[in-house]
Every structure is written in C-alpha cells, then in structure tokens.
Amino acid sequence: MTNLTKLPSWADDNNIFAVVETPRGSSCKLDFDPKLGVFALAKPLLAGLTYPYDWGFRLRSAGAP
C-alpha cells in the first residue's frame, strides 16, 4: 500500500494531490490513521443517508495527518 504520508503535495505546477477518505455516496465516514497507515471507520450515518461530496485532505497541509 502507498504510504500517504510520503506522497508529494504537488502533481505539477497547476495540480495538487489529495486523498479522498470518504467518497461521495458513502454511508460511512472513514479517517486515515497515520500510525497504522490504514483507513478506519470513524462513524456510520443514519440509515438511508449518504455523504453528498467527496471528503478528504490535501497532502502535507496543516490539517493532513
């Protein structure tokens, strides 16, 4: 598996790399655990609900793991 903490921030001069940890349409929130190097279940949504957008983080930013 790719080590997400080692990936560069920029793909080129105009594009960044980002990690989508909870894809649009998912009913479960996932969080990346940098110590384990895996995505783990953070919380499920109520039955019938899904996330309307992709949720994630930009690599090597203040909020990134």
Side-chain angles (χ1 to χ4, degrees):
M1 181 170 153
T2 302
N3 184 345
L4 298 177
T5 62
K6 302 290 184 189
L7 290 174
S9 297
W10 292 92
D12 57 36
D13 289 341
N14 298 311
N15 298 293
I16 63 168
F17 285 114
V19 176
V20 174
E21 55 188 353
T22 303
R24 178 180 44 166
S26 175
S27 61
C28 295
K29 172 74 171 100
L30 302 176
D31 285 333
F32 181 68
D33 184 333
K35 291 180 183 175
L36 296 175
V38 299
F39 289 92
L41 178 64
K43 64 180 178 180
L45 292 177
L46 297 173
L49 297 178
T50 60
Y51 282 93
Y53 305 104
D54 292 330
W55 294 93
F57 56 91
R58 181 178 160 211
L59 298 165
R60 299 184 189 265
S61 66

